[in-house]
């Protein structure tokens, strides 16, 4: 069977699958599940085109990693065939642990488990199936491999993950500000003292990358409508879990019911739990909400109707923390209007905060290699004064409450 397939991608054109191991991993049911996980969660309620999946993104990352390996080899960096495959596998599987709607699951039906933890569990399971051929990829993914720059290509401030998702999300949302030149950035890559650097000629591309990241976060990832939709989804799953604990029978897929009925954390995330998690995707949640919108439970039915019909809560963003009296006013109004308890009202009236830091100055820096051989952090190397400002976190506070009638 020909395993060196070519895929047509709307961003990069034709993408070649580099070897048979990558092909077999893509064909595996664990990876195929990513076709049913939306890359941008609830953002399609704001940007109707944002229906692309984690599958798209992972394939795009492999393509960019192929370019990076070719560029670094051309510049004299030794990368063995085994290391090359390790990089491809690590970047292909870096998001395999995402649950339905990407991040909502982490805050609702599993306890203190990040998608990275679950990705690692999937990789270890696949390593058993593929007779240890993922061992090096796992070392690189965890940052345990002695060649540091390889981990930086997977997880850094200028890694192949970000290089793909900014460009891809910009394309599918239509938000042109995020359209970075990932090919140019990759062409400027080099390695010095085992650390990834960008050659001086690429400094303006890096500036554009950091600014694009800031704009995409405020305009897309932290857009207030997408934010309130995700918060509602988290609350739908929390309420469903609460009802299951109280003995209510809810209609849902077996996989979803397993996570609603059981308290799953990293300590009891067994092989069985992983197999059941592998059956979960966006369709389980959408299907469940279509049933639950007719539930007798006031909270669950109204939360589901809000998402299904895109009749969301009102959300206001402020630069200062929300005063408790404005929160209390909305809670009391809701309790009076519908005769519900305070606990029930808190599902519809709540506050929170969001933070955006386009560049982290002290961790996983982006270093510029000058012609003289001097290496300098992008903030010091750049004549763009606002890059320093972009390295400071900006926090905004939000309050959500019903518009008129639920």
């Amino acid at each position: 069977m020909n395993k060196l397939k070519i895929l047509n991608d709307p961003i990069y054109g034709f993408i070649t699958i580099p070897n048979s191991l990558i092909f077999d991993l893509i064909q595996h049911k664990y990876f195929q599940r990513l076709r049913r996980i939306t890359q941008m969660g609830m953002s399609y309620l704001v940007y109707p085109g944002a229906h692309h999946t984690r599958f798209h993104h992972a394939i795009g990352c492999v393509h960019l990693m192929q370019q990076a390996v070719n560029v670094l080899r051309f510049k004299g960096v030794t990368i063995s065939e085994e290391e090359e495959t390790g990089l491809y596998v690590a970047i292909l599987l870096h998001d395999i642990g995402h649950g339905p709607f990407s991040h909502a699951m982490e805050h609702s039906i599993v306890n203190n488990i990040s998608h990275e933890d679950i990705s690692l569990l999937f990789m270890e399971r696949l390593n058993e199936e593929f007779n240890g051929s993922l061992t090096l990829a796992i070392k690189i993914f965890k940052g345990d491999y002695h060649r540091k720059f390889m981990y930086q290509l997977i997880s850094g401030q200028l890694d192949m993950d970000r290089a793909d998702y900014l460009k891809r999300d910009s394309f599918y949302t239509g938000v042109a500000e995020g359209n970075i030149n990932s090919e140019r950035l990759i062409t400027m890559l080099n390695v010095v003292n085992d650390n990834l650097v960008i050659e001086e000629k690429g400094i303006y591309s890096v500036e554009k990358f950091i600014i694009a990241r800031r704009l995409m976060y405020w305009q897309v990832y932290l857009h207030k409508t997408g934010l309130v939709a995700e918060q509602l989804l988290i609350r739908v799953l929390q309420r469903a879990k609460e009802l299951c604990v109280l003995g209510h029978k809810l209609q849902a897929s077996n996989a979803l019911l397993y996570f609603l009925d059981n308290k799953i954390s990293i300590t009891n995330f067994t092989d069985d739990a992983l197999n059941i998690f592998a059956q979960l995707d966006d369709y389980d949640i959408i299907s469940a909400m279509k049933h639950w919108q007719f539930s007798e439970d006031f909270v669950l039915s109204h939360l589901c109707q809000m998402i299904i019909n895109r009749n969301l809560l009102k959300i206001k963003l402020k630069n200062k923390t929300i005063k408790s009296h404005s929160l209390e006013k909305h809670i009391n109004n809701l309790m009076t209007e519908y005769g519900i308890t305070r606990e029930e009202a808190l599902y519809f009236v709540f506050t929170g905060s969001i933070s955006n830091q386009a560049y982290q100055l002290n961790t996983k820096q982006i270093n510029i290699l000058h012609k003289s051989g001097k290496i300098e952090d992008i903030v010091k190397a750049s004549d763009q004064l606002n890059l320093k400002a972009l390295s400071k976190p900006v926090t905004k506070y939000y309050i959500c409450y019903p518009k008129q009638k639920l």
Side-chain angles (χ1 to χ4, degrees):
M1 182 181 180
N2 174 23
K3 294 185 177 182
L4 301 178
K5 299 280 184 196
I6 293 174
L7 304 175
N8 197 346
D9 182 76
I11 313 292
Y12 309 118
F14 293 111
I15 292 178
T16 309
I17 293 175
N19 58 47
S20 59
L21 174 61
I22 297 297
F23 178 86
D24 290 337
L25 287 169
I26 289 170
Q27 289 292 85
H28 196 281
K29 63 182 180 182
Y30 290 167
F31 190 79
Q32 288 293 318
R33 180 184 76 97
L34 296 183
R35 290 182 184 274
R36 304 185 299 279
I37 305 281
T38 317
Q39 168 76 7
M40 292 179 63
M42 306 301 289
S43 292
Y44 68 89
L45 291 175
V46 185
Y47 299 100
H51 275 290
H52 55 303
T53 65
R54 291 271 159 195
F55 183 91
H56 282 116
H57 164 60
I59 301 285
C61 288
V62 172
H63 172 70
L64 293 183
M65 188 64 83
Q66 285 176 271
Q67 290 188 341
V69 167
N70 291 338
V71 163
L72 293 175
R73 278 182 174 157
F74 179 73
K75 292 178 182 177
V77 180
T78 308
I79 298 172
S80 69
E81 270 188 43
E82 192 191 358
E83 288 170 333
E84 179 184 4
T85 298
L87 283 167
Y88 297 158
V89 170
I91 199 69
L92 179 76
L93 303 180
H94 77 283
D95 270 349
I96 199 169
H98 268 292
F101 290 104
S102 292
H103 292 282
M105 177 117 180
E106 293 172 47
H107 305 288
S108 49
I109 58 176
V110 290
N111 299 335
N112 301 319
I113 308 177
S114 70
H115 68 271
E116 288 94 348
D117 294 332
I118 301 173
S119 290
L120 192 55
L121 293 172
F122 272 125
M123 288 167 85
E124 284 164 351
R125 170 72 71 81
L126 287 165
N127 198 27
E128 289 168 24
E129 272 188 51
F130 285 82
N131 303 317
S133 52
L134 277 70
T135 305
L136 180 57
I138 291 169
K139 274 181 110 170
I140 294 170
F141 179 78
K142 287 163 75 175
D144 292 346
Y145 193 54
H146 67 278
R147 304 191 75 185
K148 258 195 324 198
F149 78 90
M150 294 195 173
Y151 176 66
Q152 291 164 356
L153 284 168
I154 307 288
S155 178
Q157 290 208 68
L158 190 52
D159 55 29
M160 298 306 103
D161 175 30
R162 290 180 183 186
D164 180 81
Y165 78 62
L166 283 173
K167 197 172 176 69
R168 189 169 298 279
D169 296 349
S170 160
F171 175 85
Y172 280 98
T173 55
V175 177
E177 288 84 351
N179 187 12
I180 57 160
N181 190 345
S182 45
E183 289 84 353
R184 166 85 176 157
L185 284 165
I186 290 168
T187 306
M188 294 296 117
L189 285 177
N190 210 330
V191 174
V192 177
N193 299 331
D194 209 35
N195 279 300
L196 215 54
V197 293
I198 293 278
E199 290 165 0
E200 191 177 356
K201 288 179 291 186
I203 194 164
Y204 301 115
S205 300
V206 176
E207 288 173 359
K208 167 79 166 39
F209 169 83
I210 293 171
I211 291 164
R213 192 170 141 73
R214 175 182 179 270
L215 294 172
M216 284 292 283
Y217 267 84
W218 284 134
Q219 214 168 321
V220 179
Y221 307 127
L222 298 175
H223 188 288
K224 63 179 190 173
T225 306
L227 176 68
V228 74
E230 183 162 295
Q231 287 298 322
L232 284 171
L233 181 59
I234 288 167
R235 281 160 174 75
V236 162
L237 295 169
Q238 285 172 343
R239 182 60 173 179
K241 196 169 177 67
E242 199 176 288
L243 292 172
C244 283
V245 168
L246 293 170
H248 290 256
K249 288 275 174 266
L250 293 181
Q251 202 168 344
S253 68
N254 291 338
L256 181 53
L257 283 175
Y258 174 84
F259 284 94
L260 293 176
D261 287 333
N262 297 287
K263 202 170 181 180
I264 304 295
S265 63
I266 196 69
T267 49
N268 64 345
F269 209 97
T270 59
D271 278 358
D272 284 344
L274 190 68
N275 275 335
I276 296 166
F277 185 86
Q279 296 166 33
L280 265 184
D281 54 51
D282 292 5
Y283 297 103
D284 295 77
I285 307 296
I286 293 280
S287 173
M289 286 195 297
K290 286 172 75 176
H291 288 297
W292 298 345
Q293 65 180 325
F294 304 112
S295 166
E296 290 175 4
D297 180 70
F298 179 90
V299 173
L300 187 62
S301 65
H302 280 84
L303 289 174
C304 290
Q305 285 169 36
M306 283 177 169
I307 296 174
I308 298 264
N309 303 321
R310 200 193 177 278
N311 182 22
L312 309 171
L313 296 172
K314 189 166 184 61
I315 177 168
K316 283 189 175 174
L317 286 178
K318 310 263 185 186
N319 292 324
K320 294 179 181 168
T321 50
I322 308 295
K323 293 188 169 62
S324 58
H325 68 80
S326 54
L327 190 69
E328 289 303 319
K329 181 184 78 178
H330 291 297
I331 291 170
N332 292 330
N333 286 350
L334 207 57
M335 287 166 65
T336 310
E337 178 85 26
Y338 294 100
I340 56 176
T341 65
R342 183 182 174 82
E343 285 67 33
E344 289 171 325
L346 286 172
Y347 276 98
F348 302 96
V349 182
F350 50 86
T351 59
S353 63
I354 48 174
S355 192
N356 184 2
Q357 187 175 6
Y359 180 67
Q360 286 150 330
L361 196 53
N362 301 318
T363 57
K364 304 177 181 175
Q365 295 147 302
I366 299 175
N367 287 318
I368 301 296
L369 172 65
H370 291 279
K371 289 190 178 77
S372 62
K374 181 185 173 189
I375 292 171
E376 209 173 17
D377 184 279
I378 178 68
V379 170
K380 290 181 181 158
S382 169
D383 54 11
Q384 262 275 45
L385 295 173
N386 70 346
L387 279 196
K388 186 153 190 168
L390 292 183
S391 65
K392 293 186 171 71
V394 177
T395 303
K396 292 184 181 180
Y397 304 88
Y398 63 84
I399 179 169
C400 299
Y401 55 90
K403 292 170 184 167
Q404 297 298 321
K405 287 276 184 188
L406 283 178

